[in-house]
């Protein structure tokens, strides 16, 4: 199981980075009236970037909390947390009407799903996916930067 620790640590770090991008209270409204991140753009059906980011951030935060709770030797719970996040992100595509935030959902959904698959394989004794975790961790960081850029006022 020691061979899984580097990939697990990298993925955990990437998740924490992604969660850090959403801030402590992503649903908190800014006090500045008319600030750019809270204004609705045409075609977004009334959903501001801030509101959409808040919905996505809740899912990411929940997945990260489950990830933190899962021990390194309990890869099954980590896989379940990743799969649950992927499923939740996939179902929220109809809930996220803000175009800028909605554009991030496919990548996030795919990464959480791929991480779940790798952790399931690791749980079954197949360590061939460790390199995949490193690549997924890098993509989490890139997507986290895009999420931060989009969601930070």
């Amino acid at each position: 199981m020691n061979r899984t620790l580097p990939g697990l640590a990298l993925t955990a770090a990437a998740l924490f980075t992604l969660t850090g991008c959403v801030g402590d209270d992503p649903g908190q409204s800014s006090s500045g009236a008319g600030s750019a991140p809270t204004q609705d753009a045409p075609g977004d059906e009334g959903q501001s970037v801030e509101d959409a980011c808040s919905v996505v951030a809740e899912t990411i935060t929940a997945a990260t909390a489950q990830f933190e709770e899962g021990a390194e030797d309990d890869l099954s719970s980590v896989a379940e947390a990743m799969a649950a996040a992927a499923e939740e992100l996939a179902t929220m595509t109809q809930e996220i009407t803000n175009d800028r935030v909605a554009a991030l959902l496919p990548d996030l959904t795919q990464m959480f799903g791929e991480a779940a698959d790798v952790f399931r394989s690791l749980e079954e004794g197949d360590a061939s996916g460790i390199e995949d975790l490193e690549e997924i961790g890098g993509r989490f960081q890139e997507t986290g930067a895009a999420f931060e850029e989009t969601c930070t006022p």
Side-chain angles (χ1 to χ4, degrees):
M1 205 47 75
N2 286 340
R3 293 178 2 170
T4 64
L5 295 180
L8 185 61
L10 182 60
T11 303
L15 281 173
F16 299 144
T17 299
L18 188 57
T19 302
C21 294
V22 300
D24 292 332
D25 187 3
Q28 185 179 16
S29 297
S30 63
S31 57
S35 63
T38 60
Q39 292 178 345
D40 182 45
D44 288 334
E45 298 180 24
Q47 189 176 50
S48 68
V49 170
E50 184 178 52
D51 291 342
C53 287
S54 177
V55 173
V56 174
E58 289 174 19
T59 298
I60 293 170
T61 301
T64 303
Q66 285 182 315
F67 188 94
E68 288 175 319
E69 291 171 8
E72 288 140 3
D73 59 350
D74 187 9
L75 297 176
S76 178
S77 67
V78 174
E80 288 175 28
M82 298 295 120
E87 189 174 310
E88 179 71 22
L89 288 166
T91 59
M92 76 172 44
T93 57
Q94 294 178 358
E95 188 177 343
I96 303 298
T97 59
N98 183 282
D99 297 336
R100 290 178 58 202
V101 178
L104 300 172
L105 288 178
D107 287 340
L108 287 169
T109 302
Q110 181 178 358
M111 287 184 299
F112 277 103
E114 289 175 5
D117 292 342
V118 170
F119 284 117
R120 281 187 196 109
S121 294
L122 290 171
E123 177 67 20
E124 295 169 0
D126 179 6
S128 65
I130 291 176
E131 293 81 20
D132 294 337
L133 278 182
E134 293 174 4
E135 187 267 330
I136 293 168
R139 287 184 18 231
F140 266 116
Q141 290 177 335
E142 291 171 12
T143 303
F147 190 82
E148 180 176 17
E149 183 179 316
T150 300
C151 295
T152 301

